[in-house]
Amino acid sequence: MRISYETAGSCAKRIDIEIEAGVIVDTVFVDGCPGNTRAVAALVKGMPVADAIRRLKGIACQGDTSCPDQLARALEATVFKG
């Protein structure tokens, strides 16, 4: 499954995510701070979606969200939508 999520309130404008069998295979942040977004993408690679959401949700940067939080929101909204 491929997800393209338009962010709100973070430096990254969009996050492209690939998930297979509930595991994050690849994550690409469009814009944002390259070092930080590449680090987050590398850390979640191979991680189960539920673990990534649990670890990243609620992390704030400037305001009440961040690139990691937006990734958690993207995963939550797409994978666990009712």
Side-chain angles (χ1 to χ4, degrees):
M1 167 192 315
R2 290 184 186 267
I3 300 164
S4 186
Y5 182 81
E6 299 295 323
T7 63
S10 69
C11 296
K13 301 298 180 209
R14 187 180 80 235
I15 308 170
D16 297 326
I17 311 159
E18 184 176 349
I19 300 168
E20 289 180 11
V23 175
I24 300 168
V25 175
D26 191 36
T27 305
V28 176
F29 289 83
V30 176
D31 294 330
C33 304
N36 291 334
T37 56
R38 286 178 37 210
V40 170
L43 290 170
V44 298
K45 187 173 186 173
M47 184 180 291
V49 169
D51 289 350
I53 292 169
R54 182 178 49 80
R55 291 177 182 200
L56 302 176
K57 188 174 180 181
I59 293 174
C61 184
Q62 297 175 339
D64 65 348
T65 193
S66 64
C67 291
D69 181 62
Q70 288 292 299
L71 175 55
R73 292 181 191 200
L75 294 168
E76 205 169 45
T78 305
V79 177
F80 297 117
K81 62 184 172 187

